[in-house]
Amino acid sequence: MSRFTDRYLEGMVGTPDEPTPASTEEIDLSLNSPKLKGIRRLTALDTVRARIAMAVDFGLLSPGERLPPTDAIARALDVGEITVRRALSSLCADGVLERRRGRKGGTLVAEQPTRKAVDATEVYRGQTAEVHHLIDERLVMECGIAHLATRAANTADLDELQQLVEVMDKAESWAEFHSCDERFHLALARTTGLDETVDTYATVLRRLYAYYLPYPLAALRESNDEHRALVEAMRAGDAALAADIACRHVRTLHNTMFVGLTN
């Protein structure tokens, strides 16, 4: 996923100790502009700290829960592994996470985690209007994409989507699931054959993904049931049903993303 960072996630830049491509350096310079608002003015390190800390604050990550490997977190949050390691270490120092040794060790949510320990979470909390707007943008596009994809899909397209559903069924962590979720929705969009639409949709999707938090696997499995139902509707050639499932799938984000959890 990191290959899309420069193009789609404005301000989700590398930390000083990571190799930085020229295009990211250009974005880095833009961060000096006082006009930047919200998460675009945060460093990549801050975004990782904020998203994990908020998941702990909201109870999405439970005390004692083990975090996925750093490489999986890096792929899911579209940052470098060095950034993830630094973020996890700092969250341990803040009392949000803890490190344990041994076969059952690793980085886990602290048994009594410190709440609201990361200032950057307030930047995310202040982006409610932006997130709702992005959800609605995605909602408009997703319904049309599902309808057109149903009409255009061939057996190979449907088999690819089905395989991604099966991979998500077996995902062992929120990080693994999230990476496959993105692949599923981009594959669905590509099935329409409308390249410009895919590009526009991908931009909105990744801007929205910049706000996603780690979620319990049980909730993600329910989301995957909707993926499965969508593929089944497509196989049946029922474009209206596919669009309806896509609509419900995206609309629920108003309540399940952090903007719905702060009320």
Side-chain angles (χ1 to χ4, degrees):
M1 287 170 50
S2 59
R3 65 188 182 278
F4 296 108
T5 301
D6 297 338
R7 185 175 178 187
Y8 296 113
L9 294 185
E10 301 172 356
M12 302 291 281
V13 298
T15 53
D17 54 352
E18 294 181 89
T20 306
S23 56
T24 303
E25 289 174 355
E26 294 173 2
I27 294 175
D28 220 1
L29 292 174
S30 73
L31 292 178
N32 294 320
S33 169
K35 296 180 180 179
L36 285 176
K37 298 179 180 180
I39 65 169
R40 289 184 296 166
R41 65 181 174 84
L42 296 176
T43 66
L45 177 64
D46 285 336
T47 65
V48 176
R49 281 172 46 80
R51 293 161 81 177
I52 293 177
M54 287 182 70
V56 174
D57 287 346
F58 291 137
L60 301 174
L61 295 177
S62 304
E65 181 174 343
R66 182 180 292 101
L67 269 64
T70 55
D71 60 337
I73 296 176
R75 286 192 297 272
L77 301 187
D78 201 14
V79 297
E81 286 189 56
I82 293 175
T83 298
V84 173
R85 286 196 291 270
R86 291 178 61 198
L88 298 185
S89 294
S90 65
L91 288 171
C92 287
D94 290 334
V96 178
L97 307 176
E98 62 183 35
R99 288 258 168 81
R100 296 182 190 173
R101 298 182 181 277
R103 292 180 58 187
K104 296 183 178 181
T107 303
L108 299 86
V109 179
E111 291 296 339
Q112 294 183 320
T114 304
R115 307 287 180 177
K116 297 184 178 180
V118 178
D119 291 341
T121 61
E122 294 306 314
V123 177
Y124 274 80
R125 293 171 189 267
Q127 295 298 291
T128 298
E130 167 73 6
V131 177
H132 281 308
H133 179 77
L134 286 170
I135 293 170
D136 286 338
E137 280 193 274
R138 181 182 171 187
L139 179 63
V140 170
M141 287 184 279
E142 194 100 22
C143 294
I145 284 171
H147 190 281
L148 292 174
T150 300
R151 295 168 56 185
N154 56 38
T155 301
D157 294 327
L158 294 170
D159 288 346
E160 179 185 6
L161 293 172
Q162 183 63 42
Q163 288 171 5
L164 287 169
V165 169
E166 292 171 1
V167 171
M168 284 184 276
D169 274 338
K170 299 175 183 177
E172 296 182 355
S173 71
W174 56 266
E176 182 182 348
F177 185 98
H178 181 67
S179 297
C180 292
D181 180 76
E182 180 182 29
R183 290 167 56 196
F184 177 90
H185 287 286
L186 289 176
L188 178 67
R190 286 194 301 271
T191 300
T192 65
L194 302 175
D195 292 342
E196 291 185 3
T197 298
V198 174
D199 288 343
T200 302
Y201 173 74
T203 301
V204 172
L205 187 66
R206 288 189 174 83
R207 286 175 61 198
L208 185 58
Y209 275 1
Y211 293 95
Y212 273 120
L213 305 181
Y215 265 80
L217 266 177
L220 297 177
R221 301 281 191 226
E222 292 181 8
S223 173
N224 201 36
D225 287 340
E226 294 177 338
H227 294 152
R228 182 178 293 101
L230 175 58
V231 176
E232 290 174 356
M234 292 175 67
R235 285 195 186 278
D238 193 334
L241 178 58
D244 182 64
I245 293 170
C247 178
R248 286 186 278 112
H249 183 71
V250 177
R251 190 171 55 200
T252 190
L253 296 177
H254 283 297
N255 298 319
T256 58
M257 285 188 70
F258 74 89
V259 290
L261 300 175
T262 56
N263 299 328

